[in-house]
Each structure stands twice: as C-alpha cells, then as structure tokens.
C-alpha cells in the first residue's frame, strides 16, 4: 500500500478515486470506467509533476525519510553481485545499522559500506533505524583497511539520521570512532565514491561519506544536524523544523551550489519510492562513471585529490 506524505494529498485523493473505480468495475463488468480512469491517471501525473517541481527543503526532508524509499539492501541486491557481508569490529561486537562487505560491481571487486534503516518494525529494530553505534564505524574502518590493502575501490551509500546518541554508545567512544572512520576515508589510496541515498545526518554520515566523489539523490538531504534538532537548539521549539530546514541549506541543490557535493542524481517524478529500480540503475551508472575516471589516477594521486577536495570547500564562497 502506497504511503502518502502530507503535501501529497491531491495525489492521494485522485489515486483513491482511481482505486474506487477499478473496484467498481471488478464488481460489475457491465460498467466501463476505463475512460474516467485514464483521465484521472493523467491528472495524477500532472499533479505529481507540479507538486514535485516546487518542493521546499522541508518537503524534501519528508521525501528523504519516506518509509518506502529504497534503502542500502535494495541497492546492494540490485547493483552488486557476490556480496559477502562482514560482521563485527573485532573489538566489541556487531552493529547491524552499518552493512559492510566485499562484492563485485560490474564484475570489478569492490568494498561496499552503507547504512540500512529497515522497511518494517522488525527490520528497523534490527538495524536500529540506521543509527550506528561505535562498533559500526569500527567495522567500516576494518573493511576500508582491507580494501586499501587489497587495492579495492570503496563504494559507500549513506542513509542515516545520525549516529546513535545513547549512553552506551558514548561510553564506548562514539565520537572517537566517527573521527577515526573519517580519518580512514581521507587516508585511503583507493578510489572512494559516496552517494547520499536518503538522509545524510551529522558525523554519522560523514564518517563514511568522505569520498573522492560525493553525490546526492535529488530528494535526499545532507546536514550537520536534523531540522528538528536545529530548531530545538536555536529556538527551543522543534515545531519550527520547517524553518530550520529552509535556513540550513540541506538540499542537493543547495549543497551542489556550495561545493559540498559533486553532482545530483535525478529521481523519477514523485520520488525514488515510486520507481526504485530506475533510481538504483541511475545511481549505478554514476558510480561506474566516477570509478572509471578515478581509475586513471595513482594511489597517491587519489588520496591527495580527496584531501584537497575537502580542504577547498568554502574557499570560493
């Protein structure tokens, strides 16, 4: 069943009428509703195109969090073959919020890391809603070290509201784990391509997003803190999240203009959740192109270019 966001009510109403007409036709074959259904489907396409062409930062935040949006496991199943997940940080334990392992991408061996949010109550609890604990980032470090040792490109898919803020995570060194993961990204001598596929929240995102190429899906967001968190800190009122989202410059368009990301991957009209295969295919093509370009550089050049990329952010503003 399709889940509709608040601003999608006109679409919801039209598709509800279509559902009623189809049900009516199935109950009574003498009733021909095909013409009316066709007219309504045209209106749905027009309404969807119009609504999604005018999305603000808060609406894009809602789309980025859509429960039916494709997550890491959807991408890994479609883009990679022979995916072998690796578990544990060899120190404390396993963290299912971060999925990491080895795979083949277009026949090329790669290391893959990403956050998985889950699709239903059971999987969301299993993956802790995509919010990793320190052992998740230490697992990512372990996989990146392995990739560097065996000259494997690293592909990361980012989708998290942020690192888990619990007491246990802080006791086990959450900030240190995030810092070391970011440091590991910067030190790699192999190409690293990162894509924000949903939410890119705080240090929990940048810990695995410090790549040679950083891309965002059209309706994804990338920020130092969630709009609700920013509103709570700035105005002590989380209901002003819409205002915070607008002022924080968290959309793909804003961040490309600021030089934070390299490019934007277009989504189908109505968002990635309406045509997941199309957006996953488009993401795969962008990753393949980036790896081809980076493959021409030596290890030292790859590392130097990555470091310079992040040093240059903000210089021309």
């Amino acid at each position: 069943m399709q889940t509709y966001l608040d601003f999608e009510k006109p679409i919801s109403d039209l598709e509800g009428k279509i559902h009623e007409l189809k049900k009516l036709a199935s109950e009574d074959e003498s009733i021909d509703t095909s013409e009316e259904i066709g007219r309504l489907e045209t209106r749905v396409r027009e309404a969807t195109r119009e609504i999604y062409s005018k999305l603000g930062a808060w609406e894009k935040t809602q789309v980025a969090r859509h429960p039916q949006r494709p997550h890491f496991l959807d991408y890994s199943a479609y883009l990679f073959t022979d995916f072998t997940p690796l578990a544990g940080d060899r120190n404390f334990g396993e963290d299912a919020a971060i999925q990491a392992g080895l795979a083949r991408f277009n026949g090329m061996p790669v290391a893959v890391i990403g956050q998985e949010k889950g699709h239903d109550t059971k999987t969301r609890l299993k993956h802790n809603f995509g919010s990793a604990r320190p052992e998740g980032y230490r697992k990512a470090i372990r996989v990146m070290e392995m990739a560097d040792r065996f000259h494997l490109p690293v592909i990361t898919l980012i989708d998290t509201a942020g690192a888990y803020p619990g007491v246990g995570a802080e006791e086990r060194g959450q900030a240190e784990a995030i810092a070391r993961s970011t440091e590991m990204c910067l030190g790699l001598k192999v190409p690293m391509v990162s894509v924000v596929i949903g939410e890119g929240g705080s240090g929990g995102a940048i810990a695995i997003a410090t790549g040679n190429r950083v891309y965002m899906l059209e309706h994804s967001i990338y920020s130092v803190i969630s709009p609700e968190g920013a509103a709570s800190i700035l105005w002590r009122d989380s209901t002003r999240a819409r205002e915070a989202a607008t002022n924080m410059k968290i959309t793909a368009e804003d961040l490309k203009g600021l030089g934070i990301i390299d490019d934007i991957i277009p989504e189908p009209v109505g968002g990635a959740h309406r045509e997941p295969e199309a957006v996953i295919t488009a993401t795969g093509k962008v990753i393949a192109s980036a790896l081809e370009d980076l493959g021409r550089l030596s290890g030292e050049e790859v590392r130097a270019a990555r470091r310079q990329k992040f040093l240059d952010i903000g210089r021309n503003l």
Side-chain angles (χ1 to χ4, degrees):
M1 183 179 292
Q2 179 69 48
T3 299
Y4 295 96
L5 302 170
D6 293 341
F7 63 85
E8 293 181 310
K9 191 175 186 307
I11 302 170
S12 172
D13 291 342
L14 289 169
E15 291 190 338
K17 291 177 182 177
I18 292 173
H19 177 73
E20 290 174 4
L21 288 172
K22 288 181 177 180
K23 184 178 179 181
L24 181 64
S26 67
E27 293 173 350
D28 188 346
E29 295 182 358
S30 66
I31 301 176
D32 183 9
T33 60
S34 58
E35 185 176 338
E36 180 64 12
I37 288 173
R39 186 178 66 82
L40 288 172
E41 287 176 341
T42 300
R43 288 179 60 190
V44 166
R45 288 191 292 271
E46 292 173 349
T48 304
R49 189 176 296 108
E50 181 179 1
I51 289 170
Y52 273 79
S53 67
K54 301 175 182 177
L55 295 185
W58 180 241
E59 288 74 27
K60 284 182 178 284
T61 300
Q62 293 177 276
V63 178
R65 295 171 174 172
H66 197 287
Q68 293 169 327
R69 192 174 180 86
H71 296 150
F72 173 82
L73 292 178
D74 301 304
Y75 283 81
S76 65
Y78 195 88
L79 293 179
F80 307 114
T81 57
D82 300 328
F83 179 60
T84 304
L86 300 176
D89 65 347
R90 299 297 186 268
N91 183 24
F92 180 82
E94 164 64 348
D95 179 50
I98 286 189
Q99 298 291 298
L102 306 177
R104 289 187 180 275
F105 176 67
N106 293 340
M108 173 175 55
V110 296
V112 184
I113 304 169
Q115 285 115 349
E116 171 60 34
K117 284 185 170 181
H119 285 285
D120 53 31
T121 302
K122 183 178 179 180
T123 56
R124 285 169 189 155
L125 290 172
K126 174 185 176 182
H127 297 290
N128 201 33
F129 299 85
S131 294
R133 297 174 172 87
E135 47 272 24
Y137 295 107
R138 292 180 178 128
K139 174 172 66 174
I141 292 169
R142 183 167 73 87
V143 172
M144 284 190 276
E145 287 176 340
M146 187 182 300
D148 208 33
R149 187 179 308 125
F150 293 103
H151 310 292
L152 304 177
V154 178
I155 298 170
T156 64
L157 302 176
I158 296 89
D159 189 13
T160 182
Y164 184 62
V167 173
E170 296 297 339
E171 289 175 342
R172 296 194 298 278
Q174 183 73 287
E176 182 265 353
I178 289 172
R180 289 196 181 279
S181 183
T182 307
E183 180 186 36
M184 187 68 223
C185 292
L186 288 169
L188 291 173
K189 291 185 179 181
V190 294
M192 180 174 176
V193 179
S194 304
V195 183
V196 181
I197 59 174
E199 286 186 273
S202 190
I206 201 168
I208 61 169
T210 315
N212 293 87
R213 299 284 188 275
V214 181
Y215 302 99
M216 289 178 66
L217 294 191
E218 182 181 359
H219 301 312
S220 60
I221 59 171
Y222 194 15
S223 62
V224 71
I225 191 173
S226 70
E228 294 90 343
S232 296
I233 292 171
L234 294 174
W235 303 297
R236 300 193 178 186
D237 183 2
S238 61
T239 62
R240 296 177 69 176
R242 176 187 290 273
E243 185 179 350
T246 302
N247 288 295
M248 287 166 64
K249 307 297 182 185
I250 63 177
T251 68
E253 291 81 3
D254 291 329
L255 294 168
K256 185 180 179 184
L258 292 169
I260 306 296
I261 65 169
D262 294 283
D263 211 347
I264 301 169
I265 301 173
E267 294 187 28
V269 175
H273 56 281
R274 283 189 164 82
E275 294 184 48
E277 285 193 9
V279 78
I280 292 172
T281 299
T283 301
K285 290 179 179 177
V286 169
I287 293 172
S289 177
L291 289 178
E292 184 179 354
D293 290 342
L294 294 168
R296 301 186 180 99
L297 305 178
S298 68
E300 288 295 342
E301 288 172 333
V302 164
R303 181 166 64 176
R306 187 187 306 113
R307 291 185 173 184
Q308 194 61 47
K309 167 188 171 64
F310 285 91
L311 287 171
D312 287 343
I313 290 176
R315 283 188 174 175
N316 298 320
L317 298 180

